Amino acid sequence: MGSVLGFPGIDPTDALIGARIRRWRDKRGVASADLAAALHLTPEALRRVEAGREHLDSAGIDAATRALHLPVWALVSDTRGY
């Protein structure tokens, strides 16, 4: 990714996963502080993840799917994977 004025660009995959986490967190009624604690993140770091400005590794994605009671495909794809 390129940068503008020294700020790193947003990775499109991180942005999609972050948006899906936010959407599912809202649907499930999970408070951001509770999800941040489950992911061992600060609330600010979770906001950056949901905005696509911070990368969530595979362990973080796994923790998010467990905390939100989702299959992994729900965060990495819009198509069900069976």
Side-chain angles (χ1 to χ4, degrees):
M1 292 281 111
S3 66
V4 176
L5 301 176
F7 293 101
I10 295 176
D11 184 284
T13 302
D14 290 339
L16 286 172
I17 290 173
R20 290 177 183 130
I21 288 173
R22 181 183 305 125
R23 183 179 66 225
W24 282 107
R25 182 177 59 76
D26 289 342
K27 279 186 172 185
R28 296 284 200 242
V30 176
S32 60
D34 294 337
L35 183 58
L39 301 177
H40 304 289
L41 297 173
T42 64
E44 177 58 34
L46 178 61
R47 282 191 288 278
R48 287 192 305 269
V49 166
E50 289 182 345
R53 297 193 175 280
E54 188 163 318
H55 178 75
L56 195 61
D57 62 10
S58 59
I61 292 172
D62 180 60
T65 58
R66 290 175 187 272
L68 295 171
H69 306 287
L70 297 169
V72 173
W73 67 260
L75 295 183
V76 298
S77 175
D78 286 330
T79 305
R80 289 183 179 200
Y82 292 102

